[in-house]
Amino acid sequence: MDDERKISLGEGAGGELMQRMLKELVIPLVRNADIEYDPAALPPGLLDDSAAVDDVAFTIDGHTVWPLEFPGGDIGSLSVYGTVNDLWVVGAIPRALALSMIIEEGLDRSLLRRISSSIGSASSSAGVVIATGDTKVVERGGVKGMIISTAGIGLKHPLLDGNHRRASFLRSGSGAEAPVSHWLRDDGVRKGDVIILSGSVGDHGISLLSFREGYGFDTELVSDLAPLGEVIEAALRVGGVIAAKDLTRGGLANGLNEWCGKSGYSIHVSGPDIPVKPAVASACDMLGLDPYEIGNEGKVILAVAPGSEEEILEAVKRTSTGKDAAIIGHVGARGRNVILETEVGGKRIMDPPYGDPVPRIC
Amino acid sequence: MDDERKISLGEGAGGELMQRMLKELVIPLVRNADIEYDPAALPPGLLDDSAAVDDVAFTIDGHTVWPLEFPGGDIGSLSVYGTVNDLWVVGAIPRALALSMIIEEGLDRSLLRRISSSIGSASSSAGVVIATGDTKVVERGGVKGMIISTAGIGLKHPLLDGNHRRASFLRSGSGAEAPVSHWLRDDGVRKGDVIILSGSVGDHGISLLSFREGYGFDTELVSDLAPLGEVIEAALRVGGVIAAKDLTRGGLANGLNEWCGKSGYSIHVSGPDIPVKPAVASACDMLGLDPYEIGNEGKVILAVAPGSEEEILEAVKRTSTGKDAAIIGHVGARGRNVILETEVGGKRIMDPPYGDPVPRIC
């Protein structure tokens, strides 16, 4: 039986339990109200993927993936792409990363060397410098192999201005009631916005789970780990992007529910339009998992102003990681739920994941 | 026998072993040479306490202290002050922090609440906002209680301009050959610079060790954990500060040797002038530890241009954490060593610590 006085595993899973725990035990306590905030356009209180401080976007992620190397990546590339993606999705250009490595005594030197090289290549390909770092080695059993926490800073993307102008123009035509925020904000989605998903969901979590547990579902399935810059830039260049969110822990269900919860608008998505690879679908069937709740590391949802969706979709499809992009739904009337239209024409509420079916995948 | 293919505990201790490991297995591999650096005044390659990117100072620290609460602080206040101090010592005003918490399943909720509150008070007193964060909960044994990695960003302190003018003026009079860097840089110290220490050394490490192991050396001894902003600002206001370094892992010996190694100038310090509390001195005697190698969390060394030392010392002594400040030595001719003049008039080389006598103190 769970001891209610103790933190449970599910409270770290990025789902509803974690939101509750953070709201009870962390966020109101660490926030210091006596410091005056700039009325910045992306304030900490939003709990967006990054916050902006004086126009510098700032984010951090702790990476506890196990095993440290997996099909399609390792903790090094994960800690780079995981963090740059959190900057891209608010509309920032990643500029520099800071790495905190906590290493377990006894880690293979050759493994550390491979992970460092992977950090080097990933940061080159993402266009960021590793500006600073810190290393601790702890006794055996103090951590499992290695943990990397990565912070990133980024600057407002120059394409945001044009994007914002087009989004405002399209919004005013559609009669949406709210002004468009300059940064890409979770709470910015409004009725009529169209939702584009950049590719198939569940690849990262299922490939990692299968590799770790030796299920051998499909040896072809690898993590989708990738930087999202190309997709986001393609969309911003067209203009009209309202919000973007990378689908990590908690997957598509978590991302859509965060938009819904923060904006106060319902979201409608169509199951048959959501790309899921057959290997992922059959693994989920066998394990009783929901592919929409599985974490990804190279997929993003875009909410775009009505009228821009076709052009943005085409632009995203021309990128290397967005070939399978699809329009999966739209933002509906004020409401508190994400509604999923199923293959057979039924409807169900797509709840945010409660805990996490697959721990240690990021 | 140590397996040379495995990472050892001593390689995470902030001393010479760690420097070697980082230079072999991490730094050259993670650095991406194909990204063009701004010729910023505080580039990543310096491995200073922070790096500057586009005039934003940026730093990160992983905190693995054990136990999580100790006399004089806890992992929450430690993770705030440890990070803001790394910003202050390069001449930045801390602006915002990002927290990555890795929590062990089963942690007491009341403990997490206390730590969060401690983060809130510490960040208020240090004048920073907690801008963003990330939380992971891992299975029992996955970490020991909790790890917090904290990144910080800061802006150039407005007092740096006046400080720089006075330092340049004094330097040019003293015949020192190098221009004065704008940020406070480890490699900036030159012959003739005077070294001020802000207070007694070893309090943090010895009090934590004594508490953890139940030695009971002195129940009055507590960690010196504190933000260094008041001390640094007092010194900058006088002007003439060349470098500043907070004495964390590896203590005074590590700090002085970093200045020496990075600048190429020898450093001379006088043992009798270095404040060490009797409780720390006697504990070190009994345990065979060197107080100069013990970590601190609220002490800083300042290298100041000759002619400014008395005025800066007086200003520092008027601050709440700098009452016991003292001039402890000066920068000598080109050389590779820190020379300690002992009580009996002898001289010995003060080597950088090899490993770490007291693990998990920060």
Side-chain angles (χ1 to χ4, degrees):
Chain A
M1 210 180 72
D2 278 0
D3 182 339
E4 287 178 3
R5 292 162 307 175
K6 309 277 187 185
I7 301 295
S8 70
L9 207 51
E11 287 175 298
E16 204 183 329
L17 272 177
M18 187 172 98
Q19 292 300 324
R20 266 193 241 160
M21 185 271 280
L22 292 176
K23 280 173 188 161
E24 181 201 340
L25 298 176
V26 178
I27 293 164
L29 302 171
V30 306
R31 194 176 297 161
N32 39 11
D34 52 330
I35 304 290
E36 214 168 298
Y37 286 96
D38 256 40
L42 194 64
L46 291 178
L47 305 182
D48 224 309
D49 297 287
S50 295
V53 180
D54 306 329
D55 268 14
V56 174
F58 188 26
T59 190
I60 195 164
D61 262 313
H63 302 280
T64 59
V65 68
W66 188 259
L68 300 177
E69 298 179 302
F70 51 84
D74 58 40
I75 193 172
S77 46
L78 180 69
S79 61
V80 171
Y81 294 144
T83 301
V84 296
N85 287 348
D86 280 341
L87 293 167
W88 282 111
V89 294
V90 298
I93 299 187
R95 181 77 182 81
L97 302 182
L99 295 177
S100 164
M101 301 198 295
I102 318 280
I103 300 172
E104 184 183 19
E105 178 188 13
L107 188 81
D108 270 327
R109 305 178 81 78
S110 55
L111 177 57
L112 179 57
R113 196 190 303 267
R114 288 198 300 279
I115 289 168
S116 296
S117 300
S118 169
I119 290 170
S121 342
S123 56
S124 287
S125 88
V128 287
V129 296
I130 307 297
T132 183
D134 181 63
T135 309
K136 297 267 154 64
V137 178
V138 295
E139 72 289 351
R140 274 168 212 272
V143 296
K144 200 163 163 181
M146 182 178 199
I147 286 174
I148 303 181
S149 289
T150 318
I153 56 176
L155 303 173
K156 261 194 179 179
H157 201 298
L159 290 170
L160 278 185
D161 277 338
N163 175 70
H164 179 257
R165 272 195 302 277
R166 184 158 191 235
S168 303
F169 173 78
L170 292 169
R171 271 270 178 88
S172 65
S174 78
E177 57 263 56
V180 178
S181 56
H182 212 99
W183 292 99
L184 309 180
R185 283 169 54 151
D186 283 345
D187 65 353
V189 304
R190 289 294 178 274
K191 184 178 172 183
D193 291 343
V194 179
I195 296 173
I196 296 172
L197 169 62
S198 68
S200 62
V201 293
D203 302 14
H204 176 73
I206 293 299
S207 73
L208 203 133
L209 181 71
S210 172
F211 175 71
R212 184 167 66 198
E213 309 296 338
Y215 293 149
F217 286 126
D218 183 339
T219 52
E220 301 291 297
L221 189 66
V222 300
S223 168
D224 61 348
L225 182 61
L228 290 169
E230 199 192 351
V231 167
I232 309 269
E233 281 203 338
L236 288 179
R237 202 165 285 122
V238 173
V241 182
I242 302 294
K245 196 156 193 68
D246 57 329
L247 302 176
T248 56
R249 270 188 299 178
L252 178 65
N254 193 60
L256 293 172
N257 273 284
E258 283 209 32
W259 279 355
C260 170
K262 288 175 181 173
S263 70
Y265 284 81
S266 65
I267 291 179
H268 300 259
V269 291
S270 157
D273 295 332
I274 300 171
V276 179
K277 291 194 172 135
V280 171
S282 62
C284 282
D285 267 353
M286 287 178 59
L287 298 169
L289 299 174
D290 179 346
Y292 306 148
E293 296 190 354
I294 304 291
N296 312 273
E297 287 295 338
K299 295 294 152 47
V300 62
I301 42 173
L302 303 169
V304 307
S308 64
E309 65 270 22
E310 291 299 340
E311 212 180 329
I312 289 179
L313 178 66
E314 286 318 304
V316 169
K317 279 163 124 15
R318 282 193 297 270
T319 66
S320 57
T321 56
K323 288 185 201 68
D324 301 324
I327 292 173
I328 62 164
H330 65 277
V331 180
R334 284 193 169 276
R336 298 174 55 184
N337 292 122
V338 177
I339 319 289
L340 175 73
E341 202 168 305
T342 60
E343 311 234 354
V344 292
K347 283 182 181 179
R348 70 165 175 90
I349 290 176
M350 186 192 273
D351 280 318
Y354 187 71
D356 188 356
V358 197
R360 283 231 188 227
I361 63 163
C362 63
Chain B
M1 208 180 74
D2 277 0
D3 183 339
E4 287 178 5
R5 292 161 308 176
K6 308 279 187 186
I7 301 293
S8 69
L9 207 51
E11 287 175 298
E16 204 182 329
L17 272 177
M18 187 173 97
Q19 291 301 324
R20 266 192 241 160
M21 184 271 278
L22 291 176
K23 281 175 188 162
E24 181 201 340
L25 298 175
V26 179
I27 293 165
L29 303 171
V30 305
R31 193 176 299 161
N32 40 10
D34 52 332
I35 303 291
E36 212 167 297
Y37 284 97
D38 258 40
L42 194 65
L46 291 178
L47 305 181
D48 224 308
D49 296 286
S50 295
V53 181
D54 306 327
D55 268 15
V56 175
F58 188 26
T59 191
I60 196 164
D61 260 313
H63 301 279
T64 59
V65 69
W66 189 259
L68 300 176
E69 298 180 302
F70 51 83
D74 58 40
I75 192 171
S77 47
L78 180 70
S79 61
V80 172
Y81 294 143
T83 300
V84 296
N85 287 347
D86 280 342
L87 293 167
W88 282 111
V89 294
V90 298
I93 299 187
R95 180 79 181 79
L97 301 182
L99 295 177
S100 164
M101 300 198 295
I102 318 280
I103 300 172
E104 184 183 20
E105 179 189 13
L107 188 81
D108 270 326
R109 305 178 81 79
S110 56
L111 176 57
L112 178 56
R113 194 190 304 264
R114 288 198 301 279
I115 290 168
S116 296
S117 301
S118 168
I119 290 169
S121 342
S123 55
S124 287
S125 88
V128 287
V129 296
I130 306 297
T132 184
D134 181 64
T135 309
K136 297 268 154 64
V137 178
V138 295
E139 73 288 351
R140 275 169 211 272
V143 295
K144 200 163 165 182
M146 181 179 200
I147 286 174
I148 302 180
S149 290
T150 319
I153 56 177
L155 303 172
K156 262 193 178 179
H157 201 298
L159 289 170
L160 277 185
D161 277 338
N163 174 70
H164 179 258
R165 273 197 300 278
R166 183 157 193 234
S168 303
F169 172 78
L170 291 169
R171 269 271 178 87
S172 66
S174 78
E177 55 263 56
V180 177
S181 56
H182 213 97
W183 293 97
L184 309 180
R185 285 170 53 152
D186 284 347
D187 65 352
V189 303
R190 290 296 179 273
K191 185 177 171 183
D193 290 342
V194 178
I195 296 172
I196 296 172
L197 168 61
S198 70
S200 62
V201 294
D203 302 14
H204 175 73
I206 294 299
S207 72
L208 202 134
L209 181 71
S210 173
F211 176 70
R212 183 166 68 199
E213 309 296 338
Y215 293 150
F217 287 127
D218 183 338
T219 51
E220 302 290 299
L221 190 67
V222 300
S223 168
D224 60 348
L225 182 60
L228 290 169
E230 198 193 352
V231 166
I232 309 268
E233 281 203 338
L236 288 179
R237 201 164 285 122
V238 173
V241 181
I242 302 295
K245 197 155 194 65
D246 57 328
L247 303 176
T248 55
R249 269 188 300 178
L252 178 65
N254 193 61
L256 292 172
N257 273 284
E258 283 209 31
W259 279 356
C260 170
K262 288 175 181 172
S263 70
Y265 284 80
S266 65
I267 291 179
H268 300 260
V269 290
S270 158
D273 294 331
I274 300 171
V276 180
K277 289 191 174 139
V280 171
S282 62
C284 283
D285 267 355
M286 285 178 61
L287 299 168
L289 299 174
D290 179 345
Y292 305 149
E293 296 190 354
I294 304 292
N296 312 273
E297 287 295 339
K299 296 294 152 49
V300 62
I301 42 174
L302 302 169
V304 305
S308 64
E309 66 270 21
E310 290 299 339
E311 212 180 329
I312 289 179
L313 178 65
E314 286 317 304
V316 169
K317 277 162 128 8
R318 282 193 298 270
T319 67
S320 58
T321 56
K323 288 186 201 71
D324 300 325
I327 291 172
I328 63 163
H330 65 277
V331 181
R334 283 194 168 274
R336 299 173 54 184
N337 293 119
V338 177
I339 318 289
L340 174 72
E341 203 169 305
T342 59
E343 310 235 356
V344 292
K347 284 183 181 177
R348 71 167 174 88
I349 290 176
M350 184 193 273
D351 279 319
Y354 187 69
D356 188 354
V358 196
R360 285 235 189 220
I361 63 162
C362 63

